[in-house]
Amino acid sequence: MKFNDFEIITRSRSVPAAVSSREDLERLAVALLQNEMPTPKPVRLLGVSLSSLQGDEQEEPQLGLPI
């Protein structure tokens, strides 16, 4: 969350199972946002990200780049 004065705060949450739907992601993001309400000043930018993504079991392995 970036405020109108460019101050930035971050919040995160880890879950035991993979987020597999838009609804799951939305539920997690809204819960984090609700914990910050009401905000102390106007919000300029709000971002959401995912990490530790998992692929399908049938995907081919990523090829290495020889350097």
PDB file of all heavy atoms in Angstrom, residues 43-65:
ATOM      1  N   VAL A  43      -4.769   6.583   0.137  1.00  0.00           N
ATOM      2  CA  VAL A  43      -3.963   5.559  -0.523  1.00  0.00           C
ATOM      3  C   VAL A  43      -3.809   5.934  -1.987  1.00  0.00           C
ATOM      4  O   VAL A  43      -4.776   6.253  -2.674  1.00  0.00           O
ATOM      5  CB  VAL A  43      -4.628   4.175  -0.381  1.00  0.00           C
ATOM      6  CG1 VAL A  43      -3.876   3.126  -1.190  1.00  0.00           C
ATOM      7  CG2 VAL A  43      -4.711   3.774   1.077  1.00  0.00           C
ATOM      8  N   ARG A  44      -2.584   5.890  -2.469  1.00  0.00           N
ATOM      9  CA  ARG A  44      -2.267   6.227  -3.846  1.00  0.00           C
ATOM     10  C   ARG A  44      -2.189   4.995  -4.729  1.00  0.00           C
ATOM     11  O   ARG A  44      -2.548   5.027  -5.898  1.00  0.00           O
ATOM     12  CB  ARG A  44      -0.920   6.964  -3.849  1.00  0.00           C
ATOM     13  CG  ARG A  44      -0.406   7.431  -5.139  1.00  0.00           C
ATOM     14  CD  ARG A  44       0.912   8.167  -4.864  1.00  0.00           C
ATOM     15  NE  ARG A  44       1.710   8.384  -6.009  1.00  0.00           N
ATOM     16  CZ  ARG A  44       2.296   7.468  -6.751  1.00  0.00           C
ATOM     17  NH1 ARG A  44       2.153   6.227  -6.479  1.00  0.00           N
ATOM     18  NH2 ARG A  44       3.031   7.807  -7.781  1.00  0.00           N
ATOM     19  N   LEU A  45      -1.708   3.869  -4.177  1.00  0.00           N
ATOM     20  CA  LEU A  45      -1.515   2.657  -4.960  1.00  0.00           C
ATOM     21  C   LEU A  45      -1.676   1.444  -4.055  1.00  0.00           C
ATOM     22  O   LEU A  45      -1.183   1.441  -2.924  1.00  0.00           O
ATOM     23  CB  LEU A  45      -0.104   2.657  -5.580  1.00  0.00           C
ATOM     24  CG  LEU A  45       0.291   1.469  -6.430  1.00  0.00           C
ATOM     25  CD1 LEU A  45      -0.529   1.448  -7.710  1.00  0.00           C
ATOM     26  CD2 LEU A  45       1.772   1.534  -6.753  1.00  0.00           C
ATOM     27  N   LEU A  46      -2.350   0.433  -4.554  1.00  0.00           N
ATOM     28  CA  LEU A  46      -2.537  -0.808  -3.810  1.00  0.00           C
ATOM     29  C   LEU A  46      -2.130  -1.953  -4.723  1.00  0.00           C
ATOM     30  O   LEU A  46      -2.585  -2.036  -5.862  1.00  0.00           O
ATOM     31  CB  LEU A  46      -4.004  -0.950  -3.397  1.00  0.00           C
ATOM     32  CG  LEU A  46      -4.376  -2.164  -2.579  1.00  0.00           C
ATOM     33  CD1 LEU A  46      -3.713  -2.089  -1.207  1.00  0.00           C
ATOM     34  CD2 LEU A  46      -5.876  -2.242  -2.418  1.00  0.00           C
ATOM     35  N   GLY A  47      -1.250  -2.811  -4.246  1.00  0.00           N
ATOM     36  CA  GLY A  47      -0.774  -3.917  -5.069  1.00  0.00           C
ATOM     37  C   GLY A  47      -0.911  -5.241  -4.352  1.00  0.00           C
ATOM     38  O   GLY A  47      -0.883  -5.314  -3.129  1.00  0.00           O
ATOM     39  N   VAL A  48      -1.070  -6.308  -5.142  1.00  0.00           N
ATOM     40  CA  VAL A  48      -1.168  -7.674  -4.628  1.00  0.00           C
ATOM     41  C   VAL A  48      -0.229  -8.536  -5.452  1.00  0.00           C
ATOM     42  O   VAL A  48      -0.159  -8.394  -6.677  1.00  0.00           O
ATOM     43  CB  VAL A  48      -2.615  -8.210  -4.767  1.00  0.00           C
ATOM     44  CG1 VAL A  48      -2.706  -9.655  -4.323  1.00  0.00           C
ATOM     45  CG2 VAL A  48      -3.590  -7.350  -3.993  1.00  0.00           C
ATOM     46  N   SER A  49       0.513  -9.422  -4.794  1.00  0.00           N
ATOM     47  CA  SER A  49       1.406 -10.319  -5.535  1.00  0.00           C
ATOM     48  C   SER A  49       1.340 -11.727  -4.958  1.00  0.00           C
ATOM     49  O   SER A  49       0.930 -11.923  -3.818  1.00  0.00           O
ATOM     50  CB  SER A  49       2.845  -9.805  -5.494  1.00  0.00           C
ATOM     51  OG  SER A  49       3.351  -9.876  -4.183  1.00  0.00           O
ATOM     52  N   LEU A  50       1.751 -12.679  -5.768  1.00  0.00           N
ATOM     53  CA  LEU A  50       1.857 -14.086  -5.366  1.00  0.00           C
ATOM     54  C   LEU A  50       3.304 -14.507  -5.519  1.00  0.00           C
ATOM     55  O   LEU A  50       4.015 -14.010  -6.383  1.00  0.00           O
ATOM     56  CB  LEU A  50       0.993 -14.977  -6.262  1.00  0.00           C
ATOM     57  CG  LEU A  50      -0.508 -14.796  -6.187  1.00  0.00           C
ATOM     58  CD1 LEU A  50      -1.186 -15.627  -7.278  1.00  0.00           C
ATOM     59  CD2 LEU A  50      -1.016 -15.209  -4.831  1.00  0.00           C
ATOM     60  N   SER A  51       3.727 -15.459  -4.704  1.00  0.00           N
ATOM     61  CA  SER A  51       5.075 -15.999  -4.842  1.00  0.00           C
ATOM     62  C   SER A  51       5.035 -17.495  -4.580  1.00  0.00           C
ATOM     63  O   SER A  51       4.014 -18.038  -4.173  1.00  0.00           O
ATOM     64  CB  SER A  51       6.039 -15.306  -3.880  1.00  0.00           C
ATOM     65  OG  SER A  51       5.645 -15.537  -2.552  1.00  0.00           O
ATOM     66  N   SER A  52       6.154 -18.153  -4.845  1.00  0.00           N
ATOM     67  CA  SER A  52       6.269 -19.607  -4.689  1.00  0.00           C
ATOM     68  C   SER A  52       5.224 -20.330  -5.535  1.00  0.00           C
ATOM     69  O   SER A  52       4.525 -21.218  -5.068  1.00  0.00           O
ATOM     70  CB  SER A  52       6.132 -20.021  -3.222  1.00  0.00           C
ATOM     71  OG  SER A  52       7.122 -19.417  -2.444  1.00  0.00           O
ATOM     72  N   LEU A  53       5.132 -19.903  -6.784  1.00  0.00           N
ATOM     73  CA  LEU A  53       4.144 -20.489  -7.690  1.00  0.00           C
ATOM     74  C   LEU A  53       4.511 -21.929  -8.016  1.00  0.00           C
ATOM     75  O   LEU A  53       5.679 -22.284  -8.129  1.00  0.00           O
ATOM     76  CB  LEU A  53       4.048 -19.663  -8.967  1.00  0.00           C
ATOM     77  CG  LEU A  53       3.671 -18.198  -8.762  1.00  0.00           C
ATOM     78  CD1 LEU A  53       3.686 -17.460 -10.097  1.00  0.00           C
ATOM     79  CD2 LEU A  53       2.317 -18.069  -8.099  1.00  0.00           C
ATOM     80  N   GLN A  54       3.503 -22.754  -8.182  1.00  0.00           N
ATOM     81  CA  GLN A  54       3.693 -24.159  -8.517  1.00  0.00           C
ATOM     82  C   GLN A  54       3.091 -24.424  -9.877  1.00  0.00           C
ATOM     83  O   GLN A  54       2.038 -23.903 -10.217  1.00  0.00           O
ATOM     84  CB  GLN A  54       3.011 -25.060  -7.488  1.00  0.00           C
ATOM     85  CG  GLN A  54       3.568 -24.914  -6.101  1.00  0.00           C
ATOM     86  CD  GLN A  54       2.816 -25.757  -5.093  1.00  0.00           C
ATOM     87  OE1 GLN A  54       1.763 -26.306  -5.381  1.00  0.00           O
ATOM     88  NE2 GLN A  54       3.344 -25.863  -3.906  1.00  0.00           N
ATOM     89  N   GLY A  55       3.755 -25.262 -10.652  1.00  0.00           N
ATOM     90  CA  GLY A  55       3.247 -25.623 -11.970  1.00  0.00           C
ATOM     91  C   GLY A  55       2.567 -26.976 -11.951  1.00  0.00           C
ATOM     92  O   GLY A  55       2.544 -27.669 -10.933  1.00  0.00           O
ATOM     93  N   ASP A  56       1.997 -27.318 -13.089  1.00  0.00           N
ATOM     94  CA  ASP A  56       1.389 -28.644 -13.232  1.00  0.00           C
ATOM     95  C   ASP A  56       2.474 -29.704 -13.216  1.00  0.00           C
ATOM     96  O   ASP A  56       3.606 -29.478 -13.636  1.00  0.00           O
ATOM     97  CB  ASP A  56       0.611 -28.741 -14.551  1.00  0.00           C
ATOM     98  CG  ASP A  56      -0.601 -27.828 -14.566  1.00  0.00           C
ATOM     99  OD1 ASP A  56      -1.098 -27.498 -13.470  1.00  0.00           O
ATOM    100  OD2 ASP A  56      -1.038 -27.449 -15.661  1.00  0.00           O
ATOM    101  N   GLU A  57       2.119 -30.876 -12.782  1.00  0.00           N
ATOM    102  CA  GLU A  57       3.072 -31.990 -12.727  1.00  0.00           C
ATOM    103  C   GLU A  57       3.551 -32.386 -14.121  1.00  0.00           C
ATOM    104  O   GLU A  57       4.620 -32.930 -14.280  1.00  0.00           O
ATOM    105  CB  GLU A  57       2.425 -33.199 -12.043  1.00  0.00           C
ATOM    106  CG  GLU A  57       1.992 -32.937 -10.618  1.00  0.00           C
ATOM    107  CD  GLU A  57       3.154 -32.662  -9.692  1.00  0.00           C
ATOM    108  OE1 GLU A  57       4.225 -33.229  -9.898  1.00  0.00           O
ATOM    109  OE2 GLU A  57       2.983 -31.855  -8.769  1.00  0.00           O
ATOM    110  N   GLN A  58       2.773 -32.111 -15.155  1.00  0.00           N
ATOM    111  CA  GLN A  58       3.092 -32.544 -16.506  1.00  0.00           C
ATOM    112  C   GLN A  58       3.965 -31.556 -17.264  1.00  0.00           C
ATOM    113  O   GLN A  58       4.372 -31.827 -18.376  1.00  0.00           O
ATOM    114  CB  GLN A  58       1.795 -32.778 -17.286  1.00  0.00           C
ATOM    115  CG  GLN A  58       0.940 -33.862 -16.671  1.00  0.00           C
ATOM    116  CD  GLN A  58      -0.416 -33.964 -17.349  1.00  0.00           C
ATOM    117  OE1 GLN A  58      -0.734 -33.207 -18.258  1.00  0.00           O
ATOM    118  NE2 GLN A  58      -1.221 -34.904 -16.917  1.00  0.00           N
ATOM    119  N   GLU A  59       4.241 -30.418 -16.680  1.00  0.00           N
ATOM    120  CA  GLU A  59       5.075 -29.433 -17.370  1.00  0.00           C
ATOM    121  C   GLU A  59       6.488 -29.959 -17.551  1.00  0.00           C
ATOM    122  O   GLU A  59       7.009 -30.677 -16.702  1.00  0.00           O
ATOM    123  CB  GLU A  59       5.135 -28.134 -16.570  1.00  0.00           C
ATOM    124  CG  GLU A  59       3.895 -27.312 -16.638  1.00  0.00           C
ATOM    125  CD  GLU A  59       4.081 -25.984 -15.920  1.00  0.00           C
ATOM    126  OE1 GLU A  59       5.232 -25.503 -15.827  1.00  0.00           O
ATOM    127  OE2 GLU A  59       3.075 -25.444 -15.456  1.00  0.00           O
ATOM    128  N   GLU A  60       7.098 -29.535 -18.656  1.00  0.00           N
ATOM    129  CA  GLU A  60       8.493 -29.881 -18.860  1.00  0.00           C
ATOM    130  C   GLU A  60       9.363 -29.003 -17.974  1.00  0.00           C
ATOM    131  O   GLU A  60       9.006 -27.864 -17.702  1.00  0.00           O
ATOM    132  CB  GLU A  60       8.857 -29.661 -20.330  1.00  0.00           C
ATOM    133  CG  GLU A  60       8.106 -30.620 -21.251  1.00  0.00           C
ATOM    134  CD  GLU A  60       8.547 -30.442 -22.694  1.00  0.00           C
ATOM    135  OE1 GLU A  60       9.680 -29.981 -22.935  1.00  0.00           O
ATOM    136  OE2 GLU A  60       7.752 -30.776 -23.568  1.00  0.00           O
ATOM    137  N   PRO A  61      10.490 -29.503 -17.512  1.00  0.00           N
ATOM    138  CA  PRO A  61      11.351 -28.683 -16.659  1.00  0.00           C
ATOM    139  C   PRO A  61      11.905 -27.478 -17.405  1.00  0.00           C
ATOM    140  O   PRO A  61      12.098 -27.531 -18.616  1.00  0.00           O
ATOM    141  CB  PRO A  61      12.463 -29.643 -16.232  1.00  0.00           C
ATOM    142  CG  PRO A  61      12.457 -30.711 -17.261  1.00  0.00           C
ATOM    143  CD  PRO A  61      11.048 -30.812 -17.770  1.00  0.00           C
ATOM    144  N   GLN A  62      12.142 -26.403 -16.682  1.00  0.00           N
ATOM    145  CA  GLN A  62      12.707 -25.208 -17.283  1.00  0.00           C
ATOM    146  C   GLN A  62      14.141 -25.492 -17.659  1.00  0.00           C
ATOM    147  O   GLN A  62      14.902 -26.088 -16.897  1.00  0.00           O
ATOM    148  CB  GLN A  62      12.630 -24.051 -16.309  1.00  0.00           C
ATOM    149  CG  GLN A  62      13.166 -22.771 -16.907  1.00  0.00           C
ATOM    150  CD  GLN A  62      12.955 -21.594 -15.970  1.00  0.00           C
ATOM    151  OE1 GLN A  62      12.223 -21.703 -15.006  1.00  0.00           O
ATOM    152  NE2 GLN A  62      13.598 -20.497 -16.255  1.00  0.00           N
ATOM    153  N   LEU A  63      14.529 -25.081 -18.845  1.00  0.00           N
ATOM    154  CA  LEU A  63      15.879 -25.308 -19.332  1.00  0.00           C
ATOM    155  C   LEU A  63      16.829 -24.287 -18.722  1.00  0.00           C
ATOM    156  O   LEU A  63      16.454 -23.144 -18.497  1.00  0.00           O
ATOM    157  CB  LEU A  63      15.923 -25.236 -20.852  1.00  0.00           C
ATOM    158  CG  LEU A  63      15.033 -26.244 -21.588  1.00  0.00           C
ATOM    159  CD1 LEU A  63      15.092 -25.977 -23.078  1.00  0.00           C
ATOM    160  CD2 LEU A  63      15.462 -27.652 -21.267  1.00  0.00           C
ATOM    161  N   GLY A  64      18.045 -24.716 -18.497  1.00  0.00           N
ATOM    162  CA  GLY A  64      19.056 -23.809 -17.966  1.00  0.00           C
ATOM    163  C   GLY A  64      19.630 -22.935 -19.074  1.00  0.00           C
ATOM    164  O   GLY A  64      19.600 -23.301 -20.243  1.00  0.00           O
ATOM    165  N   LEU A  65      20.156 -21.806 -18.709  1.00  0.00           N
ATOM    166  CA  LEU A  65      20.779 -20.897 -19.666  1.00  0.00           C
ATOM    167  C   LEU A  65      22.291 -20.933 -19.412  1.00  0.00           C
ATOM    168  O   LEU A  65      22.754 -20.471 -18.373  1.00  0.00           O
ATOM    169  CB  LEU A  65      20.235 -19.483 -19.460  1.00  0.00           C
ATOM    170  CG  LEU A  65      20.777 -18.408 -20.390  1.00  0.00           C
ATOM    171  CD1 LEU A  65      20.449 -18.715 -21.849  1.00  0.00           C
ATOM    172  CD2 LEU A  65      20.221 -17.053 -20.003  1.00  0.00           C
TER     173      LEU A  65
END
